[in-house]
Amino acid sequence: YGLPEQFVLFVGTIEPRKNIKRLIRAVAQLRRRGCDTQLVLVGPPGWLINGSLDREIETLGLQDAVQNLGYVPQEDLPGIYSLATVFAFPSLYEGFGLPPLEAMACGTPVLTSQESAMAEICGEAAWLVDPRQEEAIADGLACLLADADLRDQLRQRGLAQAQKYSWEQTARETAVVYQ
């Protein structure tokens, strides 16, 4: 995939509720502050994008800083998660939010939204931000990118948090609801 040595990763369907434009703007802020970070986007196109992300990237002059891989086969995702420096998921709305847990299970520190299901699912194992504030996203990423000890703490917490969820447990709890 030609991934950079260090990068911020987003995985999910590319659509407005995922808040990717604000994530891109946060990366632009980091680069203006002197942080030479790269952003890698993974996911199929969703609705209401219509080239707007490409225009945003071009307007901000980030063509060399943002790599959009599009759809990636499921079997390749653990390797990509594991290579990322930080996983960013500043979604405005999620019913559950599987990608942050996938990142945690791969040992990748997570920055995500303090809203919707993300705060409940990730708990204290992620850096939580206000997803409507580009500066909050940028500040959180800056802290995580600059502090290897903090990333290690979140990595350890994330591995423990991901252990709390499994498909087997989900099936058992769903069966109880039906019964």
Side-chain angles (χ1 to χ4, degrees):
Y1 293 102
L3 298 170
E5 187 174 321
Q6 294 186 337
F7 62 96
V8 174
L9 175 66
F10 168 87
V11 175
T13 304
I14 309 299
E15 59 187 26
R17 73 182 173 96
K18 300 296 185 175
N19 207 22
I20 301 166
K21 282 188 182 180
R22 284 193 183 104
L23 177 57
I24 290 168
R25 292 178 196 141
V27 168
Q29 280 189 35
L30 290 177
R31 292 179 68 87
R32 285 192 299 271
R33 296 178 193 176
C35 179
D36 189 29
T37 192
Q38 303 284 309
L39 175 62
V40 174
L41 305 173
V42 173
W47 63 286
L48 286 179
I49 294 299
N50 302 325
S52 63
L53 285 185
D54 292 334
R55 287 190 297 276
E56 190 76 24
I57 291 165
E58 187 175 333
T59 298
L60 294 169
L62 295 176
Q63 298 91 324
D64 64 332
V66 180
Q67 184 177 355
N68 189 347
L69 300 181
Y71 172 81
V72 169
Q74 190 69 32
E75 60 268 14
D76 292 351
L77 285 177
I80 294 172
Y81 278 123
S82 297
L83 291 171
T85 309
V86 175
F87 177 74
F89 198 74
S91 182
L92 296 170
Y93 172 79
E94 291 297 320
F96 182 78
L98 195 55
L101 283 177
E102 291 175 337
M104 289 178 183
C106 291
T108 304
V110 172
L111 174 142
T112 193
S113 173
Q114 68 187 18
E115 297 184 8
S116 73
M118 297 296 79
E120 182 179 347
I121 298 210
C122 295
E124 294 183 15
W127 186 283
L128 302 177
V129 297
D130 180 342
R132 289 177 176 77
Q133 300 295 321
E134 293 164 22
E135 189 159 337
I137 298 168
D139 290 347
L141 288 174
C143 287
L144 290 170
L145 291 168
D147 191 337
D149 290 337
L150 177 59
R151 287 194 310 272
D152 191 51
Q153 287 174 13
L154 288 180
R155 180 178 296 110
Q156 296 307 317
R157 290 182 197 163
L159 288 167
Q161 186 73 6
Q163 293 289 321
K164 296 178 182 178
Y165 297 91
S166 72
W167 288 115
E168 293 80 17
Q169 176 183 344
T170 300
R172 281 193 306 275
E173 290 177 8
T174 302
V176 168
V177 169
Y178 280 117
Q179 291 173 354

